[in-house]
Amino acid sequence: MPNGAEKAYYKKEAKPFRLNEPYFTLQTAKTETAMNNYLTVKKPLSAILLFSLPIIIGNLFQQTYTMADSAIVGRYVSEQALAAIGASYALTNIFICVAIGGGIGASVIVSRYFGAKEYGKMKRAVYTALLAFLCVSLLLGGIGLLLSRRIMIWLNTPPEALDLAAEYLNIYFIGLPLLFMYNIFSAMFNALGKSRIPLAFLMFSSIVNVALDYFMVAELNMGVAGAAWATLIAQGISAFLSCTVFLCKLKRFTGKAEAVFDKTELLSMTKIALPSIFQQSTVSIGLMLVQSVVNSFGTEALAGFSAAMRIESICVVPMSGIGNALSSYTAQNIGAGKPERVQKGYRAANGMVLFFAAVICLVLECFNRPIISLFLGADGTAAAISTGQNYLRFMGWFFCLIGFKMAVDGVLRGSGDMKMFTLANFVNLSIRVVLAVTLAPKFGIDMIWYAVPIGWSANWLISFLQYRTGKW
C-alpha cells in the first residue's frame, strides 16, 4: 500500500483519469512506483536482502562463466593454457572493476534523484552515464589491444604461456565495450531498485557462455581463443538485452531530461566513480602488481594460484553484493530524507556478512582439494594442487574481513564520503603489495596470501572509524 507521501505524489504527478485512457495503465504506474521505493520503506534487513540477493546470484553466474573458461581450458587444453588465462586474469579483472566501479558511481547519483522523485534529472544522469561509458570503453579497448602483450612481458609471464595469454587478451579487448555497457545497464537497474532484471539476462547469457566454452574448446579445439570468443558472445547478448529492456522501463517515468549529456552530472559521477573504481580494483591491482612475484615461482605454481584466485572470486561475490546493495540503499534513503535508516541497514548487512563468511569457511576447509581439482583435473601436478590448497585453507578463515570492509565502504560510497574511503583502500593495496614483494622471495609464495587479511583489516578499521564519526 502506498504511504501518505506516495499518495500525495500520485495526486500531484499522475495524469487525470480519462474515459479513453485504460485504467490499468494508471494503476500499473502507481503500483510499480511503490514497488521501486522498497529500499526506503521496507525493514532494513528485508530491503537489503531483497535487493542484494539478485546481485549476488547474478555475480555468481558471471563468475561461473569466467570459471568455465579456466576449468574447461585446464581440462581440455593444457596446464600452460590455464596458466595463460590465470596470468591474464589480474589485468582483465581491473577492466571489469573499472566498469563496475564506474557503474556504482553513476548509480549513486541516479539513486538520489530516484529517491527524491526528480525523474527528469534522473534521466539526464542516465543518458550522461551511458555516453561516457561508451567513450571510455572504446578508448580502453584500443589501449588494451596495443599494450596487452607488452604488459604480460612486464609481469614476467612464463615464456610458455606468453603467446597464449596475449591471444586471449586481444579477443577480450575487442569485446570490452560490450562488457562496459552491460555493467552500466546493470548499475542503472540497481539504482531503480530492479536488481532482478539484469539477473535474468545474466543467467541466460551465462548458460550460453558455458555451452559455447565447451563447444569451442573441447569440440572445435580452438584453445584459449575459443574461451575468449565464448565470453565475448555471452557479454554481447547481456548488453543487448539489458539495453532494450532498460530503455523501455525508463520511458515509464514522468519527467523529461533537459539534455542527453551534462558536464556537471558527469563531474558528480566521476567524484564517486573514481574512488569506487579504485576500491573495486584494489584486489586486482594488488594481484597484478604481485603477479610477477607469483610468475617467478614457475608455471605449476602459477596454475595452482590461478585456480585458487578463481575460487576466491566466487567467495568474494556475496560480500561485494552486500556492499554494492548498501551503496544504493544509502543513496536512496539519503535522497528520501531518511538517514536514520542507513545505520540500521549497516548493522543488518554485517549480520549477513557473518552468515556468508561461516558458510564459505566451512566449504573451503572441508572441500579444498576437490574444488582445486575441478580446474587442474586428474593430471594436475603436485606443486599446482598444493599451491591452490594452501591458499584456500588459509584464506577460508578471513572472508568475514573483506565482508565487513565492503559493507562499511558501501555506506561511505553511497553517502558520497569518498576521502577516507579512498585512503582506506590505498592503505589496503599498499600493505598487500609491499608485504608480498618483500617477503615472498625470501620466505616463499605463502607470503603473498598472508598479506591479504592484513590489508583487509587495515582498510576496514580506517573506514569504520570514519563511519563512527558520523561525518558521512
Side-chain angles (χ1 to χ4, degrees):
M1 291 290 291
N3 58 30
E6 288 169 335
K7 289 179 179 177
Y9 165 73
Y10 297 145
K11 184 177 180 181
K12 178 181 177 182
E13 297 291 338
K15 295 179 180 179
F17 175 76
R18 299 182 179 90
L19 291 176
N20 62 348
E21 183 173 15
Y23 173 74
F24 74 86
T25 302
L26 295 174
Q27 199 65 22
T28 301
K30 293 181 180 181
T31 303
E32 185 167 354
T33 301
M35 289 174 62
N36 289 336
N37 291 336
Y38 68 89
L39 286 178
T40 61
V41 296
K42 277 185 172 290
K43 291 183 178 180
L45 178 60
S46 299
I48 294 172
L49 186 63
L50 183 63
F51 185 78
S52 63
L53 280 180
I55 297 176
I56 293 171
I57 296 171
N59 287 341
L60 285 174
F61 269 89
Q62 194 167 31
Q63 291 296 338
T64 295
Y65 69 64
T66 60
M67 287 178 64
D69 291 346
S70 298
I72 293 173
V73 166
R75 281 179 169 269
Y76 292 101
V77 186
S78 65
E79 200 168 86
Q80 287 74 24
L82 175 59
I85 292 183
S88 308
Y89 176 69
L91 179 60
T92 59
N93 212 40
I94 286 177
F95 286 91
I96 293 174
C97 290
V98 171
I100 294 174
I104 290 172
S107 70
V108 168
I109 302 300
V110 173
S111 290
R112 289 181 185 173
Y113 286 139
F114 178 79
K117 297 184 175 63
E118 298 182 60
Y119 297 133
K121 293 181 179 179
M122 180 188 77
K123 291 180 179 180
R124 183 181 63 192
V126 167
Y127 298 145
T128 299
L130 294 179
L131 288 173
F133 257 65
L134 179 60
C135 294
V136 170
S137 65
L138 291 172
L139 176 63
L140 292 180
I143 294 173
L145 283 170
L146 291 174
L147 299 179
S148 57
R149 185 179 181 86
R150 175 56 55 186
I151 294 173
M152 289 295 98
I153 294 174
W154 289 340
L155 295 176
N156 296 324
T157 303
E160 60 269 33
L162 180 59
D163 290 338
L164 294 173
E167 182 182 16
Y168 182 87
L169 282 173
N170 286 336
I171 299 170
Y172 175 87
F173 285 122
I174 291 173
L176 193 66
L178 298 175
L179 168 70
F180 266 62
M181 296 315 293
Y182 167 73
N183 277 281
I184 184 61
F185 281 115
S186 294
M188 295 298 97
F189 277 121
N190 292 339
L192 304 183
K194 293 184 172 294
S195 55
R196 297 180 185 181
I197 295 177
L199 168 62
F201 297 147
L202 187 56
M203 291 172 67
F204 173 75
S205 62
S206 297
I207 294 171
V208 171
N209 180 259
V210 173
L212 288 175
D213 261 329
Y214 181 80
F215 178 69
M216 292 182 173
V217 175
E219 299 295 331
L220 299 183
N221 297 316
M222 293 176 63
V224 295
W229 282 113
T231 300
L232 187 154
I233 294 169
Q235 289 172 349
I237 292 172
S238 293
F240 175 77
L241 293 176
S242 298
C243 174
T244 302
V245 175
F246 179 79
L247 293 180
C248 291
K249 291 286 184 183
L250 194 63
K251 291 179 181 179
R252 299 185 182 183
F253 291 95
T254 58
K256 184 178 180 181
E258 297 176 359
V260 296
F261 184 83
D262 186 274
K263 293 182 180 179
T264 303
E265 295 288 7
L266 180 61
L267 181 61
S268 299
M269 294 177 191
T270 303
K271 288 180 179 179
I272 298 174
L274 288 180
S276 296
I277 289 170
F278 182 73
Q279 184 263 340
Q280 293 284 328
S281 304
T282 298
V283 174
S284 298
I285 294 173
L287 177 59
M288 190 176 73
L289 292 176
V290 302
Q291 187 76 60
S292 60
V293 180
V294 178
N295 293 342
S296 67
F297 286 90
T299 304
E300 293 178 352
L302 175 58
F305 182 76
S306 300
M309 289 304 301
R310 292 295 194 186
I311 296 162
E312 182 190 281
S313 67
I314 287 285
C315 298
V316 171
V317 162
M319 311 308 180
S320 177
I322 292 169
N324 292 342
L326 265 181
S327 287
S328 294
Y329 174 87
T330 299
Q332 281 201 24
N333 279 283
I334 289 177
K338 300 178 179 180
E340 71 282 352
R341 285 176 52 84
V342 176
Q343 294 177 329
K344 296 178 181 178
Y346 173 61
R347 290 193 292 269
N350 281 330
M352 294 170 61
V353 165
L354 286 174
F355 170 79
F356 282 113
V359 173
I360 291 168
C361 181
L362 181 63
V363 171
L364 292 185
E365 293 305 312
C366 295
F367 304 106
N368 52 76
R369 185 179 180 88
I371 292 174
I372 285 291
S373 297
L374 289 174
F375 292 85
L376 300 174
D379 299 328
T381 61
I385 293 175
S386 175
T387 300
Q389 278 189 275
N390 290 341
Y391 186 93
L392 295 181
R393 276 200 299 259
F394 176 79
M395 289 301 301
W397 296 96
F398 297 105
F399 283 102
C400 60
L401 295 178
I402 193 172
F404 294 146
K405 158 193 139 44
M406 287 186 168
V408 71
D409 280 353
V411 173
L412 297 182
R413 184 174 55 227
S415 65
D417 186 358
M418 307 307 291
K419 292 182 180 179
M420 295 303 293
F421 171 96
T422 305
L423 174 63
N425 283 277
F426 179 75
V427 170
N428 176 15
L429 173 62
S430 300
I431 289 175
R432 294 184 59 182
V433 172
V434 170
L435 292 182
V437 171
T438 57
L439 298 181
K442 295 181 180 179
F443 302 104
I445 194 173
D446 291 8
M447 292 297 109
I448 292 173
W449 46 86
Y450 288 171
V452 174
I454 299 175
W456 288 347
S457 299
N459 187 330
W460 169 79
L461 181 60
I462 294 171
S463 295
F464 180 72
L465 290 176
Q466 175 66 8
Y467 167 80
R468 290 290 295 172
T469 65
K471 295 179 180 178
W472 52 270

